[in-house]
Amino acid sequence: MADYPPEYANGNGVAHNNAPATSLRFADIPSAIDIPVSGPDTEEAVEVNLEELLDDTAELCQLLENEKAPKNLWITIALAYAKQQQIDHAIDILDKGLASLGRSGPKEKLSLLGCICWLYLLKSRHAPRQPPRQEEQLGSETRTKDHFLREATSTINDASRINPAFPPLFLTRGVLSLLRASILSSTKAGNSVNAEKDELLRQAQKQFDDAAKSSGGRNVMAILGRARAQYLLGHFQDSLAGYQEVLGKMPSLTDPDPRIGIGCCLWRLGFKERAKAAWERSLSLNPESKVANALLGIHYLYQSSQLPSSDHQFGVLYRAAMTQYTQKAYKIDKEFPLSCATFGNYFLLRRSYPTVDLLARKAIEQTDVAAIASDGWYLLARKAHQEGQVSQASESYRKADDARGGQDKGFRPAKFGHIQMLVQARDFDGAKFRLEKLTQSVRSPEYLTLLGCLYAEEFFSAQTSVGKEDKNAEMRKAINCFESVRKMWKDDKSKTSPDESVLLYLARLYEVNQPVESMRCLEQVEQMQLDQLPEEDKPEPSDFEDSTKYTAAVRELLPPQLLNNTACFLYEFEKFDRARDTFQIALSACIKLAEKEKQAEEESNVDADALVTTISYNLARTYEALAYSVRGDHHEDVEHATRELEEAGKVYEGLLRRHPDYTDASARLTYMSLRQSPTEEGPKRIARLYEADNQNVEVRALFGWYLNKSKRRTANVAEDQEQRHYKHTLQGYDKHDKYALTGMGNIYLLNARDMQRNSDQEKDRRHKTYEKAVEFFDKALQLDPRNAYAAQGIAIALCDDKKDFSGALQLFSRIRDSIRDDPSVYLNLGHVYSELCQYSRSIESYEGALRKEKDAKSVTSEGRERDNPQILACLARVWLLKGKADNDVGALKASLEFSEKALNMQPDMVHLQFNVAYVHFQIAQMIAGLSEVQRTLDDVEEAQAGLQDAIEAFTIIAQDPKAPYPRGSLEQRAAMGKNTMQRQLERAKIAQKEYEEKNADKLAKARELRDAEAKRKEAIKLEVERKEAEKLEQIREERRKIIAEQQEKNKREEQERHRREELDMTTDSETGERVKRKRKAGGKRKKREEGIVSDDDIDGVVGSGSGRSRSTTVEPSESGPGPRKRRDKSTTGEDKPKKRRKLERKGGKASSKYKSADIIVDSDEDDDVPPPAEDDDAQADAPTPVEVTRRGGEDDEEMADSEAVAPAPVQQPRRRKQLRTIAYDDDEEDEDDGGRVADNRNGHTNGETPPSAAHGEGQEEDDEETVAMNANVDIASAAMAAMAEAGQ
């Protein structure tokens, strides 16, 4: 972005004075003018006072015409009238001037025509955009902006015919195009109009460019016009550059002020604070600038809109915007459209509707800016909206939108307001269409919230309608809209706060399909309301014993409706304890709400009694659920359940005392009586309830349930009491009663299952009965698509009638998710899986039904441990089928177990006796057919005993008149058991006995071999472990011996060292003290021969790696003992005697004179180490930690062994350059019996002299021996430490 100079933006630059600037308009008009009198010899003139002009211009025009005044006089007098706002007189004077000057030629008219055009443009700026509303009603005609623009167009066309290239006309055409574009865009809408507007603005820009070029860039008004056109085209950076150019050329210009334009461009470019600075500078130069005051007011309004209304700074900014700036702009010019539009919003908040109407009309009528006209229409629309004038508000919203371009552009708040009017007019389809179009381009939370509400209400209305139209698509759309709004809450950039209405809508939409998510929404709403509670209303935490009671006390301040809904979800999730506590808190909240409204003496919009009644009923239902959910059979559990039922009864009775006609409470009390006393008190109570209110469909449903439990089964449907009851309900009370329809379907379904199907006629009648049952179920599903019981009836009909087990399985699987506590669903699933030969799943389903059946038992301990014999019989059947399919005796035994359990519960049931006998018979058949390997003798004997029991049972059952099968069939099966099956089992027993005896020895031998093999493997394992232990112990013993020997050797060496030291000592003749013996200096050969070098020479040779020798000595450190300095002898000039040694090349033959040859690994501090060679000699020279060649006795071998066991940790030598073998020729060194190692293990670096050198040169031989011995001691100590560590 092109930046503007700070000095120009602040008004500094050329004009440094900060005095308020005055307007230059009409500044060149004199106070009086002289009109020369025509004549050859006269010099007289008529003076005309231009400050006190005549109302009648005829005499003045006649004077000008008679005296043949030039055009400049005509123009000056006309402008004098225009200066005093008498523009009509000015135009009249110029028109007469045109007539007078017409005889002089057409070119004389150009200036007059241009001036007339400018006056028409000036009148257009002050003329209304449309006729005032009062004059529209009176029918009078008022000239509007459009009229004067047409007059200006006609005038400029006349001037263009004379000279189209006349320079002043360029600027005039540009301004005319700007005004025509503003009028066009504010009166019409559409893409074609927008294109026409852009074309007019481009034409204006071209005209301003021509005007600037014709003046050589000096016409600042042309530059200002071009910047204005660029601004309206949206080219804000180019426009900013134009305004900056004007400010740079004329810093003192304040009317028009380019700083206003600079601020507007900066505002649109996002630099709002810099825009504010530009406007403040404009206001400082011209305190009476209405434009600067109005724009600063808008800036402070924008800042206040970024803060919540509860913020203190919001009030400060809003007051500054209204009272300090906007009000001042309005006082300066009460017809100024921008201040009128801004001030109108303030009066709209105060509901001063007449003032709003007046200001909005002024903004619409007086402006030539489309956005301001749009704001005026928007004010009128909001006023009509608040007054409930839907049609007028809708029309005003539409005009506000059209004024800013309409369609895809337009004014979005006006679009949204128009949609709200469509909603109030119940045109929901039109509102949804417009909202969907808006949300495609802008994801505004307001748009999405309203669209989601429309979809949600459409879905809710469909739920309550009779037709039950599928509106799941609308539900999903509503959820998507609301979830999008929730995501915006998490985005810091959107600056949107959570809305409770959105969460409540979501909770209602999620209620059926996603109750967990619905519960989360309610919890979020609850937390929001807790955060909004004033601190003074909350109780003190110190007044409560624990945080739980304090939380409950705070929640009592919440709306009871919210708490009731939360508790209902907890009840649905079977969290009955929390549901009970929440219902109790909701009741307390109702009481506090009633007390608060009573203290405030306000009329309540909430029926407190209805709330208390509903919540109390829900609390009683929760007590019931707590009682029925008790699982244990202990005395404490029974007492707890009984106590909960008593609490429920008390609540119901309290409701009936307050509302005796509360049928739901009476029905629940009756149901509790039926469960607690199904034969005595329960039937009496249901009879009284039915007699008192038999027209209530809920009561009739409960009575139908009672008939279903207590009636006697009959084969004739017409004689069924329950069927007659449901039929009466459907015909006389409610033909859409879902419970009655489902009950009728169940009756016909059971009747069809009991029908005979021996003949085709019976099968056809049975099929029709199934179809009738399905009709009732289908009708119930049409009324309630989520009626799982009706769907289950259809699934049963599919199984029994059409044998469509796969289709029925899909239905049952979906039903199971809806009905969680009904064992019949699991029982039916077990039947279907059994028919599909999926026996494992069938067993799981039957066991689930058994668990659900136990959970549904009565609260009383009686019968709590008893299982349903029907389900046990089903389990026995499926285990039998599984055993026969898998040829598994274990499955048949499981079937026998369940059959016996069922028989023990109902020993008189003949069919259960038959089941036990039949399973025994099947086990006997399977055992007889198995091979000897697959069975045992015990199995055969158990089968024989069971077969005998089955034969006796079949004989007894055959005599019973209620036998499940014909007598002949049972007797025939008993006879087959006596004859065929017993003989088969006897033969099987003999064969099994022979098989087991025959294989007993083989089995015993096999067991012996297996045991012997196991023992052998165990012995081998123990032997291996023993040998490993012995080996470890041997290693430890060897290590201990090595350590002991090394310690003994070290001890001897230490004694030898002390002896040598004692021999070296002598008595000083002068002092009588013991001192070291001094050796003679000439005891060594002084001559250096070829191959003979001193110790220092050796250090030099080995360290340097070259043929040159360098002798060095070691000096003690100045600080005392410790590291010593190396001193080069060549530099110090000292010449000390050297110990002679014979130097031999590596690889040469060692002299047999010496007992040992030491390989010295040496390195120097120099860094120029040569790379390793490729040949064998070079490989031999590769650096190693230590290389020692020994000759000696057992001590040397033991030393080598100790090093092999655990080498001493030594400092790794640097990469060596050369190896030298040193052969000693000193006879005194032959006294040592073993070789000594001389390397850098003694802690001295290469090239350093050992510490013994400090005692004197005569003691070098003894000192070297001491050093070697100390090295051996160090190595041995390190080896012993390592061995001791390894042996632990």
Side-chain angles (χ1 to χ4, degrees):
M1 184 191 74
D3 201 356
Y4 61 93
E7 62 271 21
Y8 291 154
N10 295 328
N12 298 326
V14 178
H16 296 283
N17 57 327
N18 292 326
T22 58
S23 177
L24 298 179
R25 295 187 182 184
F26 303 106
D28 55 345
I29 303 299
S31 59
I33 190 174
D34 293 335
I35 301 175
V37 177
S38 61
D41 298 328
T42 59
E43 295 182 357
E44 297 179 359
V46 178
E47 182 180 0
V48 177
N49 188 355
L50 297 182
E51 293 180 353
E52 297 179 359
L53 297 172
L54 300 175
D55 294 335
D56 186 7
T57 60
E59 183 178 354
L60 183 58
C61 292
Q62 186 65 38
L63 175 62
L64 292 171
E65 185 176 356
N66 292 335
E67 301 300 333
K68 298 179 182 180
K71 61 182 180 180
N72 60 323
L73 293 178
W74 289 91
I75 293 174
T76 301
I77 294 173
L79 292 179
Y81 274 94
K83 182 178 180 180
Q84 297 184 9
Q85 304 299 323
Q86 300 182 30
I87 301 177
D88 291 335
H89 290 326
I91 294 174
D92 183 58
I93 291 172
L94 292 174
D95 286 336
K96 293 180 179 179
L98 283 174
S100 175
L101 297 174
R103 295 185 295 271
S104 301
K107 291 185 178 181
E108 295 292 330
K109 298 181 179 180
L110 281 176
S111 298
L112 296 177
L113 289 172
C115 187
I116 293 173
C117 184
W118 278 109
L119 291 175
Y120 278 128
L121 294 178
L122 182 60
K123 287 184 68 68
S124 173
R125 292 295 302 273
H126 295 90
R129 181 179 297 271
Q130 61 183 14
R133 186 175 55 178
Q134 296 83 359
E135 296 187 3
E136 289 180 359
Q137 296 174 356
L138 297 174
S140 59
E141 182 179 358
T142 300
R143 294 177 177 179
T144 61
K145 292 180 180 293
D146 185 58
H147 169 78
F148 291 111
L149 289 179
R150 287 198 301 269
E151 293 291 338
T153 304
S154 176
T155 304
I156 202 169
N157 288 338
D158 294 340
S160 298
R161 294 188 189 97
I162 299 173
N163 185 6
F166 187 53
L169 295 182
F170 294 139
L171 189 62
T172 309
R173 292 194 193 100
V175 175
L176 178 61
S177 297
L178 282 178
L179 294 176
R180 286 176 57 192
S182 65
I183 294 296
L184 179 68
S185 61
S186 63
T187 55
K188 300 180 182 179
N191 293 330
S192 61
V193 175
N194 292 330
E196 185 178 353
K197 172 191 171 184
D198 293 343
E199 181 62 27
L200 286 173
L201 292 175
R202 282 191 288 270
Q203 291 179 7
Q205 185 178 354
K206 182 179 180 304
Q207 297 296 331
F208 289 131
D209 286 338
D210 294 340
K213 290 178 183 178
S214 64
S215 64
R218 295 188 301 273
N219 191 340
V220 293
M221 294 301 162
I223 301 174
L224 281 174
R226 181 177 59 194
R228 175 68 181 275
Q230 290 170 340
Y231 180 88
L232 295 176
L233 284 170
H235 305 159
F236 304 118
Q237 293 183 355
D238 297 336
S239 177
L240 176 61
Y243 285 122
Q244 290 170 347
E245 182 182 356
V246 174
L247 188 61
K249 292 181 177 180
M250 292 188 64
S252 59
L253 181 62
T254 58
D255 188 19
D257 194 345
R259 299 169 188 82
I260 300 296
I262 289 174
C264 292
C265 293
L266 291 171
W267 182 276
R268 297 301 297 268
L269 290 171
F271 301 96
K272 293 182 170 52
E273 290 301 321
R274 298 178 69 180
K276 174 189 174 185
W279 294 332
E280 286 178 341
R281 180 54 183 167
S282 175
L283 189 63
S284 65
L285 295 175
N286 185 10
E288 298 301 319
S289 174
K290 57 185 179 182
V291 180
N293 278 290
L295 290 175
L296 283 171
I298 292 174
H299 178 271
Y300 281 102
L301 282 177
Y302 170 77
Q303 284 188 326
S304 66
S305 67
Q306 305 301 307
L307 300 174
S309 58
S310 58
D311 194 339
H312 173 72
Q313 192 65 19
F314 171 84
V316 175
L317 294 173
Y318 189 80
R319 282 192 296 272
M322 287 291 104
T323 60
Q324 183 176 352
Y325 295 105
T326 305
Q327 187 177 18
K328 183 178 180 181
Y330 182 74
K331 290 180 178 179
I332 294 172
D333 184 0
K334 294 186 178 181
E335 304 296 326
F336 184 46
L338 182 58
S339 60
C340 291
T342 307
F343 221 30
N345 288 286
Y346 169 75
F347 287 103
L348 183 66
L349 294 175
R350 299 186 61 181
R351 297 183 180 275
S352 180
Y353 297 129
T355 307
V356 173
D357 186 81
L358 175 63
L359 294 174
R361 294 291 175 183
K362 286 183 178 181
I364 296 170
E365 295 168 0
Q366 300 298 327
T367 186
D368 55 359
V369 179
I372 298 177
S374 176
D375 290 340
W377 286 116
Y378 187 66
L379 280 173
L380 291 178
R382 290 182 62 190
K383 179 184 78 72
H385 190 169
Q386 294 181 8
E387 291 177 343
Q389 302 174 5
V390 177
S391 59
Q392 184 178 349
S394 180
E395 180 66 19
S396 298
Y397 280 132
R398 186 190 60 79
K399 290 182 177 180
D401 183 35
D402 292 343
R404 276 189 166 93
Q407 295 188 359
D408 295 337
K409 295 182 179 180
F411 191 32
R412 293 196 183 102
K415 293 178 185 293
F416 189 68
H418 182 59
I419 292 170
Q420 289 179 316
M421 295 300 100
L422 292 177
V423 173
Q424 289 195 6
R426 308 196 66 79
D427 184 7
F428 301 123
D429 293 335
K432 287 188 293 184
F433 174 76
R434 287 169 172 78
L435 279 172
E436 287 173 351
K437 191 174 181 181
L438 281 176
T439 53
Q440 290 176 0
S441 57
V442 180
R443 304 291 289 181
S444 170
E446 291 81 7
Y447 298 163
L448 292 171
T449 301
L450 182 54
L451 182 60
C453 292
L454 292 176
Y455 282 127
E457 291 297 335
E458 187 175 359
F459 172 71
F460 297 149
S461 61
Q463 282 185 318
T464 57
S465 63
V466 179
K468 296 296 180 183
E469 184 180 357
D470 186 13
K471 292 291 184 180
N472 289 326
E474 281 70 15
M475 179 191 70
R476 289 190 292 270
K477 290 180 181 179
I479 291 175
N480 290 335
C481 291
F482 289 133
E483 288 295 343
S484 299
V485 175
R486 290 182 74 182
K487 290 180 181 178
M488 293 180 183
W489 297 344
K490 301 176 183 179
D491 187 7
D492 296 335
K493 296 181 180 179
S494 62
K495 295 182 180 180
T496 55
S497 57
D499 188 358
E500 293 181 4
S501 61
V502 173
L503 294 171
L504 293 175
Y505 265 111
L506 277 173
R508 191 174 174 186
L509 290 168
Y510 283 133
E511 181 179 359
V512 178
N513 296 326
Q514 301 182 45
V516 176
E517 191 64 29
S518 180
M519 178 71 177
R520 290 175 183 170
C521 294
L522 289 180
E523 289 176 347
Q524 189 174 353
V525 173
E526 180 177 334
Q527 186 60 45
M528 291 171 59
Q529 296 202 359
L530 285 174
D531 296 338
Q532 295 174 2
L533 289 175
E535 291 296 332
E536 58 270 14
D537 293 345
K538 294 182 181 179
E540 292 293 334
S542 58
D543 298 340
F544 300 90
E545 298 178 357
D546 53 11
S547 59
T548 304
K549 293 183 180 180
Y550 172 72
T551 304
V554 174
R555 293 182 70 192
E556 290 177 1
L557 303 175
L558 297 176
Q561 301 92 329
L562 177 61
L563 295 170
N564 178 68
N565 292 337
T566 303
C568 288
F569 277 110
L570 293 172
Y571 180 92
E572 185 179 353
F573 299 150
E574 298 183 358
K575 298 178 181 180
F576 301 122
D577 292 328
R578 290 181 58 191
R580 176 194 57 197
D581 297 339
T582 308
F583 280 130
Q584 291 173 348
I585 294 173
L587 283 175
S588 301
C590 289
I591 297 173
K592 288 191 174 183
L593 179 64
E595 292 176 354
K596 185 177 180 180
E597 292 176 350
K598 185 177 181 180
Q599 292 176 359
E601 296 181 355
E602 295 179 356
E603 185 178 355
S604 175
N605 296 326
V606 180
D607 190 349
D609 181 68
L611 273 176
V612 171
T613 302
T614 301
I615 297 172
S616 299
Y617 177 81
N618 293 339
L619 178 60
R621 289 296 303 271
T622 308
Y623 283 133
E624 280 190 75
L626 282 169
Y628 299 145
S629 63
V630 175
R631 297 287 183 264
D633 297 328
H634 300 293
H635 180 69
E636 295 81 1
D637 298 330
V638 175
E639 284 187 351
H640 174 69
T642 305
R643 188 165 54 251
E644 296 293 343
L645 286 177
E646 291 176 356
E647 291 293 331
K650 291 179 182 178
V651 176
Y652 287 137
E653 290 170 358
L655 289 173
L656 289 174
R657 283 194 298 270
R658 291 168 49 209
H659 303 283
D661 56 345
Y662 195 5
T663 307
D664 291 336
S666 300
R668 295 310 302 178
L669 282 174
T670 303
Y671 176 75
M672 291 168 56
S673 298
L674 287 171
R675 292 200 62 163
Q676 291 177 326
S677 178
T679 57
E680 297 179 1
E681 182 63 25
K684 295 178 182 178
R685 189 146 193 157
I686 188 66
R688 291 197 300 268
L689 176 64
Y690 186 73
E691 182 180 358
D693 194 4
N694 58 6
Q695 295 183 354
N696 190 304
V697 291
E698 297 295 333
V699 174
R700 298 187 69 86
L702 179 61
F703 190 72
W705 175 82
Y706 167 71
L707 292 176
N708 178 269
K709 299 296 182 181
S710 61
K711 71 177 182 179
R712 290 185 177 182
R713 298 288 299 274
T714 177
N716 189 0
V717 178
E719 297 177 359
D720 192 302
Q721 295 181 356
E722 184 184 6
Q723 188 267 349
R724 290 202 300 267
H725 173 72
Y726 290 143
K727 184 177 180 180
H728 190 203
T729 300
L730 293 172
Q731 290 179 348
Y733 296 96
D734 186 5
K735 65 179 181 179
H736 297 301
D737 184 31
K738 293 172 285 188
Y739 190 88
L741 290 169
T742 306
M744 288 288 286
N746 286 329
I747 293 172
Y748 280 99
L749 184 66
L750 294 174
N751 185 262
R753 297 181 68 179
D754 295 339
M755 284 183 177
Q756 298 292 331
R757 46 188 179 276
N758 298 325
S759 62
D760 293 340
Q761 185 177 2
E762 291 177 347
K763 291 180 180 178
D764 184 64
R765 188 174 65 178
R766 182 171 180 268
H767 174 68
K768 289 182 179 178
T769 306
Y770 272 120
E771 287 184 343
K772 195 162 188 179
V774 171
E775 288 179 3
F776 283 109
F777 290 137
D778 184 63
K779 182 65 175 176
L781 281 174
Q782 290 178 9
L783 295 171
D784 183 11
R786 306 187 65 84
N787 190 338
Y789 297 98
Q792 184 174 219
I794 293 177
I796 295 173
L798 285 175
C799 292
D800 294 345
D801 186 29
K802 297 184 178 180
K803 306 300 180 185
D804 185 7
F805 300 110
S806 299
L809 178 61
Q810 296 179 4
L811 285 175
F812 283 129
S813 299
R814 295 177 62 185
I815 294 166
R816 178 181 56 188
D817 299 334
S818 300
I819 308 177
R820 297 190 297 268
D821 299 329
D822 194 345
S824 63
V825 182
Y826 294 88
L827 192 62
N828 290 327
L829 273 172
H831 295 336
V832 175
Y833 281 127
S834 176
E835 294 296 336
L836 294 174
C837 298
Q838 300 181 21
Y839 301 119
S840 299
R841 292 189 175 184
S842 178
I843 292 170
E844 292 177 2
S845 299
Y846 284 138
E847 290 175 348
L850 199 62
R851 289 193 298 271
K852 297 297 180 182
E853 183 72 20
K854 288 181 180 179
D855 295 343
K857 290 288 184 182
S858 175
V859 178
T860 60
S861 60
E862 181 181 358
R864 168 62 73 170
E865 297 179 354
R866 296 170 59 85
D867 294 324
N868 191 327
Q870 180 185 0
I871 302 177
L872 292 174
C874 292
L875 273 169
R877 175 177 175 273
V878 72
W879 275 112
L880 177 65
L881 294 174
K882 180 178 174 60
K884 293 173 70 175
D886 299 341
N887 201 22
D888 184 8
V889 179
L892 294 182
K893 290 182 179 180
S895 175
L896 178 62
E897 180 184 355
F898 284 111
S899 299
E900 290 176 344
K901 283 184 178 180
L903 182 60
N904 292 334
M905 295 177 64
Q906 293 181 349
D908 298 333
M909 300 299 294
V910 179
H911 67 280
L912 296 180
Q913 297 174 7
F914 174 82
N915 290 344
V916 174
Y918 181 76
V919 176
H920 276 303
F921 205 85
Q922 293 297 320
I923 292 175
Q925 281 185 334
M926 183 172 290
I927 291 293
L930 294 175
S931 63
E932 290 81 359
V933 181
Q934 296 174 323
R935 68 192 179 192
T936 64
L937 184 61
D938 294 337
D939 293 336
V940 178
E941 291 175 352
E942 289 179 3
Q944 281 183 323
L947 179 61
Q948 186 62 36
D949 295 340
I951 293 170
E952 295 176 1
F954 283 139
T955 304
I956 295 172
I957 294 170
Q959 305 299 326
D960 197 305
K962 297 181 180 180
Y965 291 98
R967 178 177 180 180
S969 299
L970 296 173
E971 291 177 349
Q972 185 179 5
R973 184 173 288 275
M976 184 178 71
K978 290 178 182 179
N979 300 322
T980 305
M981 294 301 301
Q982 282 187 348
R983 287 196 295 270
Q984 289 179 356
L985 286 176
E986 189 64 31
R987 288 195 297 270
K989 180 178 179 181
I990 295 171
Q992 188 69 27
K993 188 174 182 180
E994 292 176 355
Y995 171 78
E996 292 184 359
E997 289 176 354
K998 182 179 179 181
N999 291 289
D1001 296 337
K1002 294 181 180 180
L1003 291 174
K1005 291 180 181 179
R1007 292 191 187 97
E1008 290 177 359
L1009 292 174
R1010 184 185 62 188
D1011 295 341
E1013 181 66 19
K1015 290 180 181 179
R1016 187 182 67 81
K1017 291 181 179 180
E1018 184 66 23
I1020 293 173
K1021 181 179 178 181
L1022 293 175
E1023 182 65 19
V1024 171
E1025 292 178 354
R1026 185 185 63 78
K1027 289 181 178 180
E1028 290 179 355
E1030 291 178 354
K1031 187 176 180 180
L1032 290 174
E1033 183 62 28
Q1034 183 180 0
I1035 292 173
R1036 293 192 187 97
E1037 185 64 26
E1038 290 177 356
R1039 287 176 178 173
R1040 284 195 292 269
K1041 289 181 180 180
I1042 292 172
I1043 292 172
E1045 292 174 357
Q1046 186 64 37
Q1047 290 176 351
E1048 183 64 26
K1049 179 181 176 181
N1050 293 339
K1051 184 177 181 182
R1052 290 197 304 269
E1053 291 179 350
E1054 184 68 19
Q1055 292 175 356
E1056 179 66 19
R1057 187 175 64 81
H1058 284 298
R1059 187 184 65 81
R1060 288 177 178 274
E1061 289 179 356
E1062 187 65 26
L1063 291 176
D1064 288 341
M1065 302 295 289
T1066 184
T1067 303
D1068 192 347
S1069 59
E1070 296 179 0
T1071 62
E1073 296 179 356
R1074 299 284 290 178
V1075 296
K1076 274 197 174 185
R1077 191 190 307 273
K1078 295 184 179 180
R1079 296 184 181 274
K1080 296 180 179 181
K1084 300 294 179 180
R1085 289 191 295 267
K1086 302 296 182 65
K1087 186 185 296 181
R1088 176 180 296 182
E1089 298 177 355
E1090 183 179 358
I1092 304 299
V1093 297
S1094 66
D1095 289 342
D1096 295 335
D1097 293 336
I1098 292 173
D1099 293 337
V1101 171
V1102 176
S1104 63
S1106 63
R1108 292 179 296 176
S1109 64
R1110 185 170 127 193
S1111 178
T1112 60
T1113 60
V1114 178
E1115 293 181 352
S1117 174
E1118 294 179 0
S1119 60
R1124 307 193 180 197
K1125 300 180 182 178
R1126 184 187 309 187
R1127 186 174 59 191
D1128 196 339
K1129 196 169 184 179
S1130 61
T1131 60
T1132 59
E1134 297 179 2
D1135 188 7
K1136 293 187 178 180
K1138 305 180 183 64
K1139 178 181 177 181
R1140 301 296 180 180
R1141 297 179 184 175
K1142 188 178 292 183
L1143 179 64
E1144 293 181 357
R1145 293 292 180 183
K1146 181 181 178 183
K1149 185 176 179 181
S1151 176
S1152 60
K1153 174 182 177 181
Y1154 302 100
K1155 297 179 181 179
S1156 63
D1158 295 343
I1159 299 175
I1160 298 177
V1161 181
D1162 200 0
S1163 64
D1164 198 9
E1165 296 177 354
D1166 299 334
D1167 295 331
D1168 51 346
V1169 180
E1174 298 293 338
D1175 54 1
D1176 295 338
D1177 293 339
Q1179 293 294 332
D1181 290 340
T1184 58
V1186 62
E1187 294 180 319
V1188 181
T1189 303
R1190 295 184 180 276
R1191 294 180 188 175
E1194 295 178 356
D1195 294 342
D1196 294 328
E1197 295 176 358
E1198 291 175 358
M1199 194 67 210
D1201 293 338
S1202 66
E1203 290 179 1
V1205 172
V1210 297
Q1211 180 180 359
Q1212 298 293 336
R1214 298 179 183 175
R1215 187 171 184 176
R1216 67 186 180 185
K1217 299 179 181 180
Q1218 290 183 354
L1219 296 177
R1220 295 291 184 266
T1221 303
I1222 301 175
Y1224 293 96
D1225 60 345
D1226 195 348
D1227 295 335
E1228 296 177 3
E1229 294 179 357
D1230 297 341
E1231 296 176 1
D1232 290 341
D1233 295 332
R1236 297 184 179 88
V1237 178
D1239 57 10
N1240 57 357
R1241 293 190 189 178
N1242 56 8
H1244 303 292
T1245 58
N1246 297 328
E1248 292 182 353
T1249 304
S1252 59
H1255 296 166
E1257 297 177 353
Q1259 301 179 359
E1260 287 182 354
E1261 293 179 355
D1262 296 337
D1263 292 342
E1264 287 175 356
E1265 293 174 357
T1266 303
V1267 171
M1269 186 168 59
N1270 289 337
N1272 290 335
V1273 173
D1274 294 339
I1275 294 171
S1277 300
M1280 285 189 295
M1283 286 189 293
E1285 184 178 357
Q1288 288 177 355

